[in-house]
Amino acid sequence: MTKHARYEREQRAAQSARIKEIEAAWMGSLTPATAQAFTAAVESARARGPVEPPPPMAPGTAPRPPRPGREPRPSKEERKRSRPFKD
């Protein structure tokens, strides 16, 4: 566990108390219907939980296409071209 100086702990406690005061004042400034709708939206968002990570990509799939002009070189066999027969 990380130890913090007493001053830091007191400062964090004061900040937390101030944030709670600001939140209470903000909620008090809303109309009751708006405050209830906001509270319901927050509860539903917390009930949903975190978003699942995207499925892993197929093996061998590049994460993104190469930039234009930076495509990988074709293999030697692909580069080999037949030369026209000259007499």
Side-chain angles (χ1 to χ4, degrees):
M1 183 171 163
T2 306
K3 291 186 177 183
H4 293 284
R6 183 181 336 142
Y7 172 74
E8 289 180 22
R9 290 192 305 264
E10 291 171 355
Q11 198 173 25
R12 281 200 188 96
Q15 288 172 349
S16 296
R18 179 65 181 142
I19 288 172
K20 287 184 191 248
E21 289 174 12
I22 292 169
E23 286 177 351
W26 178 74
M27 286 296 280
S29 70
L30 298 175
T31 61
T34 307
Q36 187 177 11
F38 176 77
T39 305
V42 169
E43 287 175 1
S44 68
R46 287 186 177 151
R48 270 194 313 265
V51 178
E52 293 182 15
M57 297 176 72
T61 306
R64 56 187 165 274
R67 296 184 319 201
R70 305 272 193 243
E71 291 87 8
R73 265 183 101 170
S75 66
K76 222 173 191 181
E77 290 79 30
E78 292 174 11
R79 282 186 281 155
K80 201 177 194 183
R81 56 189 160 179
S82 61
R83 296 185 181 192
F85 180 73
K86 290 190 179 182
D87 249 0

